[in-house]
């Protein structure tokens, strides 16, 4: 252990019930970014993550899979570790709640709380949500279901131990009021006080007899410890709390930051502080509840088929690109919508274009005009000084943003410098300076300024993107460790003239956005289809109750006959045809993805079937007002546009 200031940061421990999705990666990426930033700025960092492996849900899933719970979790945990490796999540320790060190620690904590009468034996009757492993009171239920996940709850009654939360309620309210930074962002403090603490805490049921897959209460047969008491304890059992080897605990506790998603703030800011206080231990300095990454406005869920697979994204775009997107796209406390479009556009514009261009242009010009050796700067002009000033002053604001977990803002600032550098290239026009031998010193200054700014940028992005900086250093010829350190961002001019640049591969390959989005969209549709209840299990032509729609619903569809006045291919879109249609006295434009089945001119004059009241949608900048109906084979090899047999005026209704 070193004498640097210590910094202990944790992620929640993840349920190993399924493959983790990009939302889980969000939390770990943020924690890893923070851990790296703290290391870079001179802290002795301990970064803990792990898995939360007990409970009824796992027990059931293992049973369904025909394996023991242990075998079930072992396999998933191995996959989670692989994912963190792929995403460069560089943790100090990975705790599993099935580790013996943890189980023993929890038993000790439980016993101590029981011995001092903070835990007592009683009878529990309440509503239990199995997926969330949470008990709810009648009042907390939403439409009779779990207020967190909306799923049905079960009535449960059994002998159980209870933890005296109520005894500590007033103490906790006071503590939170006295420590306004304990729960962040501030809005979550108000939520905890107003929704949970001030209305009054009930004692918490902390043991179960119906669940076998849990940590046994060692002084009472058949009882297992409630999963949240089990899980929360990980933050200290991992440090050896309560054992003869508790050096890590002594050194690193209390945690500086528990990073958690907003839905589990309540466990971390009510149950956990009360546990710690009852045990006579100090509280973590801060619990930060970050927002969710949502899709189509809702939570990602496997059953909806809308989970985004981080492995696929990292393999396709690199883990640095995915990490950058996650940290840049949304302010850390808020929810943010995940879209393929936002992801691809960010990677293309910020990484391939802005950052990639700065490095590749600077290196290419040093090669071309100075034989690959970074030139020494001559006299700086006002223009140079303006840029130097921005670069040199950046660290202070970035440091403040990072310390406040404003990752997105820190990156925005760094990208502002990158933008200034790219503008500086256009303003100084090095390629014109290169034409005149007398301008060579000026050219040297310009290229030096650019390479040095690229170096500063590389150091600053390293907590978010751990791989890219080395590639930039390699290209601009930075080798000394002191030029890669955080301190080195505070002083412009550390890059040594005569350093050898090396032109390398593009940092981030440019993406054909349209093609890429088409591909990702296809993958998304396929995932959705795979998640939908297996249609093929149903005999053809037989409908389940769920397939049937009411006549009122059918009546909402306005199907009409339309006449094709004009039809042409949409430029640069392989699939799309643009139709001009006449519908009675009106005309409208409709796009249809059928270009590979028809030559457009053969459709002119046909009477087709149009769904006329579909909400208009812009595709490739063209507004499409309606949809043409087609018949297609299941494998999409054949497709026919529906046309109306015989002569009937356009505008006629189809019913
Ligand atoms: N096992 C508990 C935590 C116990 S900590 C003592 C748990 N596990 S979890 O796997 O469901 O979630 C782990 C973390 O992932 C939570 O912080 C949760 O908020 C986060 N996320 C899961 N889906 C998410 C998004 N879609 N977006 C952002 N974070 C999300 O809760």
């Amino acid at each position: 252990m070193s004498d640097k200031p210590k910094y202990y940061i944790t992620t929640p421990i993840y349920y190993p019930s399924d493959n983790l999705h990009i939302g889980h990666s969000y939390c770990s990426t943020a924690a890893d970014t923070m851990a790296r930033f703290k290391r870079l700025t001179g802290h002795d960092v301990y970064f803990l993550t792990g898995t939360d492996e007990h409970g009824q849900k796992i027990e059931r899933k293992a049973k369904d899979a025909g394996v023991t719970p242990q075998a079930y979790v072992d396999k998933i945990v191995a996959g989670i570790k692989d994912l963190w490796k792929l995403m460069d999540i560089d943790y100090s320790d990975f705790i599993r709640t099935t580790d013996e060190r943890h189980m023993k620690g929890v038993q000790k904590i439980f016993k101590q709380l029981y011995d001092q009468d903070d835990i007592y034996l009683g009878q529990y009757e309440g509503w239990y949500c199995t997926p969330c492993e949470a008990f709810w009171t009648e009042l907390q239920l939403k439409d009779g279901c779990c207020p967190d996940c909306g799923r049905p709850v079960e009535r449960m009654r059994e002998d159980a131990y209870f933890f005296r939360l109520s005894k500590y309620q007033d103490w906790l309210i006071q503590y939170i009021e006295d420590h306004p930074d304990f729960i962040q962002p501030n809005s979550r403090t108000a939520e905890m006080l107003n929704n949970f603490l001030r209305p009054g805490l009930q004692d918490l049921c902390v043991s179960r007899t119906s669940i076998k897959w849990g940590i046994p209460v060692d002084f009472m047969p058949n009882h297992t410890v409630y999963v949240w008491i089990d899980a929360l304890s990980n933050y200290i059992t991992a440090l050896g709390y309560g054992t003869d080897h508790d050096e890590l605990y002594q050194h690193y506790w209390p945690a500086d930051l528990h990073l958690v998603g907003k839905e589990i703030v309540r466990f971390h800011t009510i149950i956990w502080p009360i546990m710690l206080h009852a045990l006579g231990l100090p509280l973590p300095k801060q619990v930060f509840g970050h927002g969710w990454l949502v899709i189509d406005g809702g939570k990602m869920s496997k059953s909806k088929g809308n989970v985004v697979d981080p492995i696929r994204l990292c393999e396709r775009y690199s883990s640095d690109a995915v990490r950058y997107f996650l940290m840049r796209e949304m302010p850390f406390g808020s929810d943010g919508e995940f879209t393929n479009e936002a992801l691809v556009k960010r990677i293309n514009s910020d990484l391939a274009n802005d950052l990639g261009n700065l490095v590749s242009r600077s290196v290419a010009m040093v090669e071309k005009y100075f034989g690959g050796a970074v030139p020494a700067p001559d006299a700086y002009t006002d223009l140079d000084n303006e840029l130097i000033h921005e670069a040199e002053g950046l660290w202070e604001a970035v440091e403040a943003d990072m310390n406040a977990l404003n990752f997105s803002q820190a990156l925005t600032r760094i990208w502002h410098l990158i933008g200034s550098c790219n503008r500086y290239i256009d303003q100084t026009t090095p390629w014109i300076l290169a034409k005149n031998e007398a301008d060579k010193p000026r050219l040297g200054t310009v290229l030096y300024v650019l390479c040095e700014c690229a170096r500063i940028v590389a150091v600053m992005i390293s907590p978010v993107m751990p791989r890219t900086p080395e590639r930039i250093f390699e290209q601009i010829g930075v080798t000394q460790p002191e030029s890669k350190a955080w301190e080195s961002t505070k002083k412009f001019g550390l890059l040594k003239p005569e350093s050898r640049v090396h032109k390398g591969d593009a940092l981030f390959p440019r993406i054909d956005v349209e093609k890429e989005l088409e591909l990702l969209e296809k993958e998304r549709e396929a995932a959705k289809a795979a998640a939908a209840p297996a249609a093929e299990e149903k005999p053809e032509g037989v409908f389940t109750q769920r397939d049937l729609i009411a006549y009122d619903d059918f009546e909402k569809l306005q199907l009409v006959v339309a006449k094709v006045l004009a039809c042409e291919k949409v430029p640069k879109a392989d699939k799309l045809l643009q139709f001009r249609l006449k519908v009675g006295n009106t005309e409208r434009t409709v796009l249809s993805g059928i270009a590979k089945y028809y030559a457009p001119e053969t459709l002119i004059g046909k009477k087709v079937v149009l769904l006329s009241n579909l909400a208009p949608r812009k595709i490739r900048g063209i507004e499409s007002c309606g949809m043409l109906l087609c018949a297609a084979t299941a494998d999409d090899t054949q497709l026919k546009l529906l046309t109306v047999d015989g002569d009937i005026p356009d505008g006629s209704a189809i019913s």
Side-chain angles (χ1 to χ4, degrees):
M1 269 164 254
S2 77
D3 49 5
K4 294 177 188 168
K6 68 95 187 165
Y7 186 78
Y8 179 30
I9 180 170
T10 67
T11 70
I13 47 174
Y14 294 87
Y15 291 130
S17 50
D18 262 320
N19 294 336
L20 298 191
H21 56 62
I22 195 80
H24 299 111
S25 308
Y26 179 66
C27 194
S28 290
T29 302
D32 182 71
T33 295
M34 200 59 191
R36 287 174 188 272
F37 174 71
K38 288 289 181 182
R39 273 185 220 121
L40 190 63
T41 50
H43 293 75
D44 163 20
V45 172
Y46 202 81
F47 169 23
L48 179 70
T49 190
T51 38
D52 183 0
E53 306 182 10
H54 291 123
Q56 198 162 32
K57 196 160 74 175
I58 303 275
E59 206 171 25
R60 285 184 186 162
K61 289 211 172 193
K63 198 169 167 209
D64 292 347
V67 294
T68 62
Q70 190 66 55
Y72 178 79
V73 290
D74 283 351
K75 189 160 175 245
I76 298 178
V77 170
I80 293 176
K81 285 185 174 173
D82 286 347
L83 172 63
W84 295 156
K85 196 162 173 203
L86 179 70
M87 294 199 73
D88 292 313
I89 307 297
D90 187 14
Y91 49 78
S92 314
D93 192 7
F94 190 104
I95 179 124
R96 300 180 56 178
T97 54
T98 51
D99 286 348
E100 188 162 291
R101 57 177 175 153
H102 173 75
M103 308 225 319
K104 284 205 162 131
V106 170
Q107 286 176 328
K108 219 166 168 180
I109 290 169
F110 200 92
K111 181 77 170 41
Q112 184 183 334
L113 293 173
Y114 177 72
D115 286 346
Q116 63 192 40
D117 193 36
D118 279 316
I119 283 181
Y120 60 92
L121 191 63
Q123 262 237 328
Y124 187 78
E125 184 169 356
W127 298 104
Y128 190 71
C129 174
T130 303
C132 297
E133 322 259 21
F135 281 108
W136 301 101
T137 62
E138 188 82 42
L139 276 180
Q140 286 169 323
L141 297 183
K142 213 165 134 198
D143 302 326
C145 293
C146 170
D148 263 2
C149 71
R151 281 178 271 207
V153 286
E154 292 173 64
R155 195 78 186 156
M156 295 274 198
R157 187 193 187 135
E158 58 184 32
D159 270 356
Y161 286 98
F162 285 81
F163 181 34
R164 294 190 197 279
L165 289 188
S166 56
K167 175 174 150 193
Y168 293 101
Q169 170 187 316
D170 293 343
W171 162 79
L172 185 56
I173 292 175
Q174 194 61 49
Y175 183 89
I176 292 174
E177 283 173 351
D178 291 346
H179 298 82
D181 288 340
F182 175 55
I183 310 176
Q184 284 297 311
N186 285 328
S187 57
R188 309 225 191 272
T189 308
E191 190 188 334
M192 290 305 118
L193 286 171
N194 298 335
N195 297 359
F196 296 102
L197 281 163
R198 292 203 177 108
L201 287 182
Q202 293 186 0
D203 290 351
L204 177 73
C205 174
V206 290
S207 80
R208 303 290 308 276
T209 51
S210 50
I211 298 172
K212 300 289 160 248
W213 182 240
I215 301 180
V217 175
D218 52 355
F219 54 88
M220 181 61 129
N222 295 331
H223 282 250
T224 52
V225 176
Y226 169 49
V227 280
W228 274 99
I229 297 286
D230 169 351
L232 289 161
S233 307
N234 91 87
Y235 301 126
I236 54 176
T237 58
L239 301 180
Y241 167 76
T243 68
D244 295 339
H245 299 288
D246 68 348
E247 299 80 14
L248 288 174
Y249 172 79
Q250 295 299 341
H251 184 67
Y252 288 109
W253 192 258
D256 294 84
L257 181 64
H258 288 320
L259 212 52
V260 303
K262 61 180 185 178
E263 84 286 13
I264 55 172
V265 168
R266 109 187 137 94
F267 299 95
H268 285 81
T269 59
I270 297 178
I271 304 177
W272 183 224
I274 292 182
M275 276 173 74
L276 289 165
H277 184 64
L279 292 166
L281 306 178
L283 267 50
K285 291 186 193 150
Q286 189 170 88
V287 175
F288 192 104
H290 64 73
W292 284 345
L293 214 53
V294 296
I295 279 211
D296 303 328
K299 239 193 144 179
M300 288 180 203
S301 108
K302 201 172 173 208
S303 58
K304 286 193 224 156
N306 66 6
V307 289
V308 176
D309 178 8
I311 301 178
R312 170 84 181 115
L313 296 186
C314 288
E315 284 172 353
R316 195 154 180 84
Y317 306 111
S318 82
S319 58
D320 268 14
V322 174
R323 288 171 62 113
Y324 172 75
F325 172 76
L326 291 176
M327 294 298 94
R328 172 72 192 258
E329 194 61 17
M330 65 205 222
F332 194 54
S334 326
D335 287 353
E337 177 83 26
F338 178 94
T339 65
N340 288 330
E341 194 170 353
L343 171 77
V344 169
K345 284 191 171 161
R346 268 255 174 254
I347 296 176
N348 222 27
S349 73
D350 296 11
L351 301 181
N353 289 341
D354 297 348
L355 178 61
N357 272 348
L358 168 62
V359 174
S360 68
R361 288 162 92 189
S362 308
V363 169
M365 289 191 286
V366 171
E367 281 209 330
K368 189 163 172 200
Y369 305 135
F370 291 90
V374 173
D378 191 44
Y380 291 132
T381 64
D382 286 350
L383 188 68
D384 307 336
N385 280 326
E386 210 177 297
L387 186 59
I388 293 171
H389 183 71
E390 182 178 349
E392 232 176 18
L394 192 56
W395 70 271
E396 208 166 353
V398 168
E399 198 170 301
D401 288 336
M402 294 295 284
N403 280 324
L405 299 145
N406 277 333
F407 305 114
S408 171
Q409 196 164 305
L411 289 169
T412 305
R413 287 185 206 280
I414 301 170
W415 256 257
H416 188 276
L417 174 63
I418 295 172
S420 301
C421 289
N422 281 325
R423 265 192 308 283
Y424 174 83
I425 299 181
D426 298 337
Q427 286 161 335
T428 52
T429 55
W431 50 93
I432 295 179
L433 295 175
K435 288 191 177 144
N436 193 342
E437 195 51 34
D439 286 333
K440 198 127 190 210
R442 174 75 196 128
L443 177 62
T445 306
V446 167
L447 295 186
Y448 181 83
V449 168
L450 286 170
C451 291
E452 174 62 348
C453 283
R455 183 191 67 79
I456 291 177
V457 164
V459 177
M460 287 193 171
I461 62 173
S462 64
V464 177
M465 305 166 80
R467 287 171 188 259
T468 307
E470 269 312 318
R471 299 175 62 205
I472 298 176
F473 293 144
E474 158 81 15
Q475 294 201 26
I476 58 176
V478 174
T479 49
Q480 315 84 342
E482 57 279 15
S483 303
K484 302 175 183 177
W486 185 249
E487 277 304 304
S488 77
T489 61
K490 301 178 183 177
K491 185 90 199 91
F492 190 90
L494 280 183
L495 179 64
K496 293 212 170 24
E498 292 308 313
S499 303
R500 302 295 310 177
V501 302
H502 305 276
K503 220 170 153 191
D505 291 340
L507 293 177
F508 296 90
R510 205 150 282 143
I511 301 173
D512 179 334
V513 176
E514 279 187 11
K515 266 200 186 144
E516 192 68 15
L517 287 179
E518 236 169 68
L519 177 104
L520 293 177
E521 211 42 45
K522 263 194 196 149
E523 288 185 3
R524 190 168 123 112
E525 291 303 326
K528 264 196 185 156
E536 61 278 14
E537 285 168 16
K538 191 174 63 184
E540 258 177 67
V542 177
F543 295 98
T544 66
Q545 194 61 30
R546 213 175 40 185
D547 294 324
L548 301 176
I549 60 165
Y551 183 75
D552 289 354
D553 289 331
F554 169 70
E555 233 189 5
K556 286 184 197 153
L557 305 178
Q558 286 176 18
L559 297 167
V560 293
V561 176
K563 182 172 176 190
V564 180
L565 296 178
C567 180
E568 58 189 32
K569 284 191 113 167
V570 176
K572 287 199 228 144
D574 300 346
K575 287 181 165 182
L576 286 180
L577 289 184
Q578 177 175 352
F579 289 82
R580 190 71 194 154
L581 299 176
K582 179 170 168 299
V583 184
N585 296 328
T586 62
E587 285 186 18
R588 63 169 76 197
T589 296
V590 172
L591 297 179
S592 181
I594 59 172
K596 79 170 180 194
Y597 304 98
Y598 286 104
E601 57 283 2
T602 62
L603 295 174
I604 295 170
K606 290 222 188 273
K607 297 245 173 90
V608 292
V609 176
L610 172 73
L611 174 60
S612 64
N613 62 335
L614 187 70
R617 195 171 148 215
K618 253 199 176 156
I619 310 172
R620 304 282 153 84
I622 304 165
E623 186 164 76
S624 176
C625 302
M627 182 166 98
L628 294 179
L629 300 195
C630 301
T633 53
D635 60 2
D636 271 353
T637 51
Q638 291 180 57
L639 177 143
K640 293 286 170 209
L641 202 52
L642 294 196
T643 51
V644 181
D645 188 21
D647 203 16
I648 187 158
D650 53 80
S652 305
I654 298 172
S655 55

